């Protein structure tokens, strides 16, 4: 049922829609894929929140392809959904399809990643971390830990993705302040353990014991790198420091095991906030353009105490 029809038929222009009215609505969710533990936690958060609030959720997994996301959004529009939740795989190329959603009066909430569009009114709100800040946190931690001297290899996220661009920028801005710190190699590990391991193997083959530290844009790639370091005969967390981003439970376990040194939090549990934003729009209320998730860095020394309270 279209939201605007529902609102009209219930003559609710001056009254807030009730939870029961929301339960009749349908939301489309275009997810990137299932490349990391973090992303699976995000999917689960949105699915369970939809169920809790009684929405019908149409879910589409894009298998890492923007063209699949664009197709999914067009299909949601054709089916007359009341709102769309989009986790955009890359930053650019969304203008046309979001214009189509706007023309159909369907609010679009971005979760976890930002986009670059000519007109920011094409989406309702972005619920995401500040990825530049996350990169800075990782860089500052490493600078402190190495007294500003380190040969660093970097495992980047997927090409063109907002967190890959911004985490690289934030980390780079921090380490360039230390002449003794150098990023000696940087390549995409496509957010996955398998690719992270493969790229780290190549870095080790080329640079071996010259590498002092790994900076991975997510935990899954760091966990793959840890495996590569062990197979190379070095000790991750000691011979080569490892810092990453996400804060998933497996990363906490790697810190407890002494193999990962630090991980920056990034909140994937965005379901409640995404539905809150949509409901505010359904009620005609203003929604913040960027609902920022606050992050901090977690270090090995605190991991054992924290691991049981990790939610994902
Ligand atoms: O957009 C958030 C990033 O995407 C997470 O850090 C990563 O694990 C995921 O795949």
């Amino acid at each position: 049922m279209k939201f605007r029809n529902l609102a009209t038929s219930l003559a609710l222009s001056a009254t807030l829609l009730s939870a029961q009215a929301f339960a009749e609505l349908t939301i489309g969710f275009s997810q990137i894929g299932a490349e990391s533990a973090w992303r699976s936690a995000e999917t689960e958060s949105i699915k369970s929140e939809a169920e809790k609030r009684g929405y019908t959720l149409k879910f589409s997994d894009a298998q890492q392809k923007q063209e699949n996301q664009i197709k999914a959004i067009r299909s949601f529009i054709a089916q007359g959904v009341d709102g769309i939740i989009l986790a955009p795989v890359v930053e650019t190329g969304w203008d046309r399809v979001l214009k189509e959603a706007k023309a159909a009066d369907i609010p679009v909430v971005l979760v976890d990643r930002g986009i670059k569009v000519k007109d920011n009114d094409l989406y309702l709100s972005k619920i995401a971390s500040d990825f530049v800040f996350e990169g800075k946190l990782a860089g500052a931690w490493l600078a402190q830990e190495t007294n500003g001297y380190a040969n660093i290899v970097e495992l980047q996220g997927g090409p063109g993705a907002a967190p890959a661009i911004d985490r690289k920028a934030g980390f780079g801005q921090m380490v360039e302040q230390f002449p003794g710190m150098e990023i000696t190699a940087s390549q995409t590990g496509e957010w996955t353990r398998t690719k992270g391991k493969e790229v780290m193997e190549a870095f080790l083959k080329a640079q071996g014991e010259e590498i002092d530290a790994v900076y991975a844009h997510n935990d899954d790639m760091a966990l793959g790198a840890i495996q590569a370091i062990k197979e190379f005969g070095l000790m991750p967390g000691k011979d080569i420091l490892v810092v990453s981003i996400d804060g998933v439970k497996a990363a906490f376990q790697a810190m407890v095991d002494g193999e990962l040194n630090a991980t920056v939090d990034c909140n994937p549990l965005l379901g409640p906030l995404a539905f809150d934003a949509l409901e505010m729009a359904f009620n005609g209320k203003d929604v913040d353009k960027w609902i920022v998730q606050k992050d901090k860095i977690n270090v090995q020394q605190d991991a054992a105490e924290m691991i049981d309270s990790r939610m994902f």
Side-chain angles (χ1 to χ4, degrees):
M1 180 187 302
K2 286 297 303 167
F3 161 70
R4 56 178 182 280
N5 297 339
L6 178 73
T8 314
S9 65
L10 296 177
L12 285 171
S13 52
T15 325
L16 296 187
L17 284 172
S18 68
Q20 201 183 352
F22 290 141
E24 294 177 44
L25 303 183
T26 298
I27 305 299
F29 173 30
S30 169
Q31 178 56 293
I32 293 166
E35 72 281 1
S36 63
W38 189 98
R39 185 141 316 278
S40 303
E42 184 191 59
T43 298
E44 182 47 36
S45 170
I46 289 170
K47 282 185 174 175
S48 61
E49 195 62 25
E51 198 181 329
K52 193 168 129 196
R53 299 191 191 203
Y55 286 90
T56 300
L57 189 76
K58 293 189 180 292
F59 177 73
S60 169
D61 177 333
Q63 311 274 326
Q64 311 298 320
K65 291 199 175 84
Q66 184 181 35
E67 69 209 58
N68 291 344
Q69 292 202 286
I70 291 173
K71 268 189 215 149
I73 295 169
R74 291 205 167 117
S75 152
F76 294 152
I77 296 169
Q79 292 173 71
V81 299
D82 300 284
I84 292 174
I85 299 173
L86 168 66
V89 62
V90 290
E91 255 185 355
T92 56
W94 299 103
D95 295 70
R96 187 184 292 185
V97 74
L98 292 188
K99 270 184 202 156
E100 293 168 26
K102 196 173 168 65
D105 262 348
I106 300 172
V108 176
V109 170
L110 305 178
V111 284
D112 92 72
R113 295 184 181 180
I115 57 174
K116 284 196 165 36
V117 275
K118 284 203 184 96
D119 174 6
N120 278 337
D121 284 343
L122 291 179
Y123 65 91
L124 176 70
S125 179
K126 170 179 87 166
I127 303 169
S129 293
D130 180 340
F131 299 130
V132 174
F133 179 66
E134 290 177 340
K136 283 184 182 172
L137 281 177
W141 176 84
L142 192 59
Q144 191 175 29
E145 203 60 20
T146 61
N147 291 318
Y149 289 92
N151 286 332
I152 307 154
V153 294
E154 180 181 33
L155 291 167
Q156 295 181 39
I165 296 165
D166 292 351
R167 287 172 182 170
K168 181 169 185 48
F171 185 82
Q173 284 164 27
M174 193 52 72
V175 303
E176 74 186 12
Q177 296 177 43
F178 298 87
M181 295 180 87
E182 193 188 342
I183 300 172
T184 55
S186 181
Q187 206 180 303
T188 180
E190 294 167 8
W191 304 115
T192 67
R193 274 195 201 207
T194 312
K195 190 72 185 174
K197 178 170 184 276
E198 193 184 304
V199 175
M200 189 64 202
E201 282 165 354
F203 287 162
L204 284 161
K205 201 168 167 201
Q207 300 182 38
E209 295 184 18
E210 295 295 304
I211 301 172
D212 300 310
V214 181
Y215 166 50
H217 290 189
N218 81 345
D219 287 340
D220 282 69
M221 293 188 292
L223 294 168
I226 285 170
Q227 194 56 38
I229 296 168
K230 288 201 274 193
E231 287 174 17
F232 190 77
L234 293 173
M235 286 163 63
K238 293 186 181 68
D239 297 325
I240 297 181
L241 301 180
V242 186
V243 56
S244 60
I245 298 174
D246 274 359
V248 301
K249 208 157 192 154
F252 272 75
Q253 187 57 55
M255 289 201 288
V256 171
D257 298 341
E259 296 180 341
L260 178 74
N261 299 89
T263 180
V264 176
D265 275 332
C266 183
N267 179 22
L269 308 179
L270 304 177
L273 291 170
F275 284 96
D276 283 353
L278 283 170
E279 288 177 7
M280 283 172 77
F282 295 157
N283 277 320
K285 289 187 182 171
D286 287 341
V287 184
D288 288 346
K289 206 71 207 178
W290 184 8
I291 300 173
V292 190
Q293 301 303 291
K294 298 254 161 59
D295 303 313
K296 65 172 178 44
I297 191 154
N298 306 289
V299 293
Q300 207 180 71
Q301 292 81 339
D302 302 328
E305 205 181 309
M306 294 175 73
I307 191 164
D308 288 340
S309 63
R310 300 305 291 178
M311 307 273 288
F312 53 93

